[in-house]
Amino acid sequence: MRTKFNRNLIPWVMAAGRAMLGPVLILGASCGWNGVALASMVVAALLSDIFDGVLARRWRCDTAGVRLFDSMADTVFYAGAAIAVWVGRPQVWQRNATLLVILLGMEGVRAGFEFAKFGKPASYHSYVAKAWGLILAAAVVAAFVWPGAQWLMPVALAMGILTNAEGLMISIMLPVWRHDVKTLKDARRLRRETMWVAAQGEFGPVVFVR
C-alpha cells in the first residue's frame, strides 16, 4: 500500500530539526569538536530557518501553529548555541557580559509580559528580528572559526536588545495575539482594525464624523 507524502509537514520537520541542533551544539562544544563542524551546524540551522518559511508560504501551510513552532525552535536552537559558545569559547561572553545580561533581562521581561497577556509567546518574525537572526548566526560562526571578528558579537547582542524592545512594544500595542507582524506600523494598523471590529460588535455600526 502506497502512502501519500504530506509535504505540509516539511516546515514542521525542518523547525524540529533546527531545535535539535541546539543540544547537539552543546554536546559538540563539550567534546571539543572542530570549530568548523560547529559553525557548519549554525549555518545549517540558519538555512533551515530561511527555507522553512519560504516553503510554508509557497505551499500555503504557514499557519499560526507553524509560525509559533518556528519561533520556539529558534529560541531553543539559539539558547543551545549560546551555551555552546560559553562551553567552547567562554571569553566571548566574558568580554560582552554587560550586553548579555541586558539582553537576557529583556528576553525575560518580554516573555513574562506576553505570557501574562496572551498566554503564549509572540511570533512576530519582524524585519528587525530577521536581521538579528542573520547577525547572530554570523557572530556565533565567527566565535567558533574566526576569533579576530570580535566586533560581531556585541553588534549581535545590541541588535537583540533592539529586537526585544520592538517585540515588547508590538505586544503592548496588540489587543490580541497575532503572528507575522513585520513592523510597528503594522502593529498600529492591526490595533486599529481590531478595535474597529470590537466597536462594531459592541455598539453596532459606528460613524466617524470629521
Side-chain angles (χ1 to χ4, degrees):
M1 181 177 176
R2 190 174 180 181
T3 303
K4 185 178 180 180
F5 177 70
N6 186 358
R7 67 184 183 182
N8 291 350
L9 292 177
I10 292 179
W12 292 89
V13 173
M14 292 175 70
R18 184 164 68 256
M20 292 172 63
L21 279 177
V24 174
L25 269 177
I26 298 173
L27 176 64
S30 301
C31 294
W33 290 2
N34 184 278
V36 174
L38 298 175
S40 297
M41 286 189 281
V42 177
V43 173
L46 177 62
L47 293 175
S48 164
D49 191 22
I50 292 172
F51 286 105
D52 65 358
V54 171
L55 293 176
R57 287 188 293 274
R58 176 171 295 180
W59 295 332
R60 300 186 180 182
C61 59
D62 52 339
T63 62
V66 169
R67 303 304 280 163
L68 179 58
F69 186 68
D70 180 79
S71 295
M72 294 172 68
D74 289 344
T75 300
V76 172
F77 171 74
Y78 280 109
I83 295 172
V85 171
W86 175 259
V87 172
R89 306 288 190 274
Q91 67 277 9
V92 172
W93 293 139
Q94 291 167 359
R95 286 194 297 263
N96 299 285
T98 300
L99 285 173
L100 179 61
V101 169
I102 295 173
L103 175 58
L104 292 176
M106 288 289 294
E107 289 273 1
V109 170
R110 179 182 167 187
F113 180 83
E114 288 165 357
F115 272 101
K117 185 172 184 178
F118 304 127
K120 55 185 173 181
S123 181
Y124 299 136
H125 298 275
S126 71
Y127 295 127
V128 174
K130 290 179 183 295
W132 180 36
L134 292 173
I135 295 171
L136 183 57
V140 174
V141 167
F144 288 131
V145 298
W146 191 16
Q150 298 181 8
W151 59 271
L152 269 172
M153 190 58 76
V155 171
L157 294 174
M159 192 71 179
I161 294 169
L162 175 62
T163 300
N164 275 277
E166 181 197 49
L168 182 59
M169 291 175 67
I170 292 175
S171 294
I172 291 171
M173 287 183 189
L174 294 178
V176 296
W177 189 90
R178 300 290 294 263
H179 65 90
D180 292 311
V181 183
K182 301 300 185 183
T183 64
L184 287 170
K185 182 179 179 180
D186 289 338
R188 287 193 295 269
R189 175 180 55 80
L190 290 169
R191 177 182 174 84
R192 288 195 301 268
E193 291 175 357
T194 303
M195 299 303 289
W196 164 260
V197 171
Q200 290 284 84
E202 184 174 356
F203 302 110
V206 178
V207 178
F208 291 93
V209 179
R210 297 182 62 180

